[in-house]
């Protein structure tokens, strides 16, 4: 089993290869360059470094959303292009699930938060449970877009220690400190952003479960309308009044 995984759902660009449950390679950049500049060269560099013939991969996995609308479109287009050219299936991995999976085995509630603007975050709530000598990830709240105050209320009600990860930490750290009534901590630098390795690891599980799709059928999951679409909808609604 060999999976090429991509994540361009945020400012981070990440490419990984997972081979038979081993992370063979991972290339992650968090810098002010567009994914259209970085993603394909990163794939090419990874392939050269591990002498990977792309024809030998079994599937292309991609962080399918939510996240940056532009980033998701670039990642989706790249994955679709590879899938069509190589005649390989695609595996769309929910962005927030992959972020949580990057903290596999954490004893706290794992809560990724991506800034969605307007006092909202893309988030979900996860727990890792020991079962048959291994951990599994349990989804307590599936990925969604939620007001930050609503998320705090939910976490306060649960009353469990929380591990936050994601770029929303920098945006909402003050509110977390002021409004969260339960214990919390923040993931360290090597675990607080998207990584294609986590996308690839989850994709192996999905592949075994038959959760694949054709390149032609793949679409990103934005979870909500883009700002331009929201503004157009608001103008149309005002025009009807």
């Amino acid at each position: 089993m060999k999976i090429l995984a991509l994540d361009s759902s945020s400012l981070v660009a990440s490419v990984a290869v997972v081979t038979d449950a081993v992370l063979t390679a991972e290339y992650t950049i968090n810098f002010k360059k567009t994914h259209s500049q970085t993603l394909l060269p990163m794939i090419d560099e990874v392939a050269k470094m591990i002498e990977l013939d792309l024809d030998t991969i079994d599937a292309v996995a991609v962080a399918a959303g939510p996240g940056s609308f532009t980033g998701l479109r670039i990642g989706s287009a790249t994955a679709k292009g590879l899938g069509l050219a190589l005649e390989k299936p695609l595996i769309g991995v929910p962005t927030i699930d992959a972020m949580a999976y990057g903290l596999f085995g954490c004893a706290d509630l794992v809560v990724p938060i991506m800034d969605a603007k307007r006092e909202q975050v893309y988030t979900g709530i996860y727990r890792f449970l020991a079962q048959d000598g291994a951990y599994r990830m349990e989804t307590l709240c599936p990925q969604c877009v939620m007001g930050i105050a609503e998320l705090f209320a939910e976490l306060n009600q649960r009353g469990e220690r929380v591990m936050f990860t994601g770029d929303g930490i920098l945006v909402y750290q003050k509110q977390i400190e002021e409004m969260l009534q339960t214990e919390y901590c923040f993931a360290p630098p090597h675990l607080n952003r998207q990584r294609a390795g986590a996308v690839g690891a989850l994709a192996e599980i999905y592949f075994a479960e038959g959760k694949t799709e054709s390149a032609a059928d793949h679409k990103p999951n934005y979870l909500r309308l883009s700002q331009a679409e929201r503004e157009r909808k608001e103008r149309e609604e005002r025009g009807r009044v």
Side-chain angles (χ1 to χ4, degrees):
M1 172 64 61
K2 190 177 295 181
I3 292 176
L4 173 67
L6 317 175
D7 194 325
S8 59
S9 59
S10 68
L11 289 177
V12 176
S14 188
V15 175
V17 177
V18 177
T19 308
D20 295 331
V22 174
L23 181 60
T24 312
E26 186 175 42
Y27 187 170
T28 300
I29 293 292
N30 186 8
F31 195 68
K32 297 178 181 180
K33 288 188 177 181
T34 64
H35 297 316
S36 59
Q37 292 176 292
T38 58
L39 208 55
L40 284 173
M42 289 168 66
I43 294 170
D44 185 56
E45 186 64 24
V46 164
K48 287 179 180 177
M49 288 296 291
I50 62 173
E51 300 178 357
L52 172 66
D53 180 352
L54 290 176
D55 284 322
T56 66
I57 66 172
D58 295 285
V60 180
V62 61
S68 157
F69 285 78
T70 300
L72 290 175
R73 283 194 290 268
I74 292 171
S76 175
T78 302
K80 286 168 72 75
L82 288 168
L84 289 169
L86 300 171
E87 298 182 347
K88 304 293 182 180
L90 263 59
I91 305 171
V93 176
T95 302
I96 303 300
D97 289 12
M99 292 176 69
Y101 204 68
L103 289 163
F104 191 88
C106 178
D108 307 329
L109 290 181
V110 176
V111 180
I113 50 174
M114 293 180 67
D115 183 24
K117 309 300 182 185
R118 298 188 175 190
E119 293 294 306
Q120 293 183 320
V121 289
Y122 297 120
T123 190
I125 303 174
Y126 305 84
R127 178 188 283 124
F128 291 96
L129 300 175
Q131 184 179 43
D132 299 327
Y135 279 100
R136 66 176 179 85
M137 187 170 76
E138 179 184 23
T139 302
L140 303 177
C141 173
Q143 67 171 25
C144 61
V145 59
M146 184 183 295
I148 192 66
E150 182 184 354
L151 175 61
F152 293 155
E154 172 70 23
L155 295 174
N156 286 336
Q157 184 177 7
R158 289 182 179 273
E160 298 181 52
R161 182 180 170 91
V162 176
M163 171 74 80
F164 287 105
T165 186
D167 60 25
I169 292 174
L170 292 177
V171 180
Y172 296 106
Q173 183 170 347
K174 185 177 180 180
Q175 287 99 314
I176 292 171
E177 294 169 350
E178 293 175 350
M179 299 174 65
L180 202 65
Q181 298 168 7
T182 187
E183 290 188 69
Y184 65 87
C185 55
F186 301 127
H190 65 296
L191 297 174
N192 69 7
R193 292 294 187 274
Q194 286 86 338
R195 292 182 60 177
V199 174
L202 265 180
E204 275 203 328
I205 297 172
Y206 292 170
F207 190 93
E209 295 173 347
K211 296 178 181 178
T212 64
E213 59 187 334
S214 69
D217 289 338
H218 173 75
K219 294 179 181 178
N221 180 14
Y222 299 114
L223 281 188
R224 70 175 189 181
L225 299 175
S226 68
Q227 182 176 347
E229 290 170 321
R230 291 197 304 272
E231 291 174 351
R232 182 180 63 188
K233 186 176 181 180
E234 290 170 1
R235 288 195 299 270
E236 291 173 348
E237 289 176 349
R238 286 196 299 267
R240 296 192 190 102
V241 176

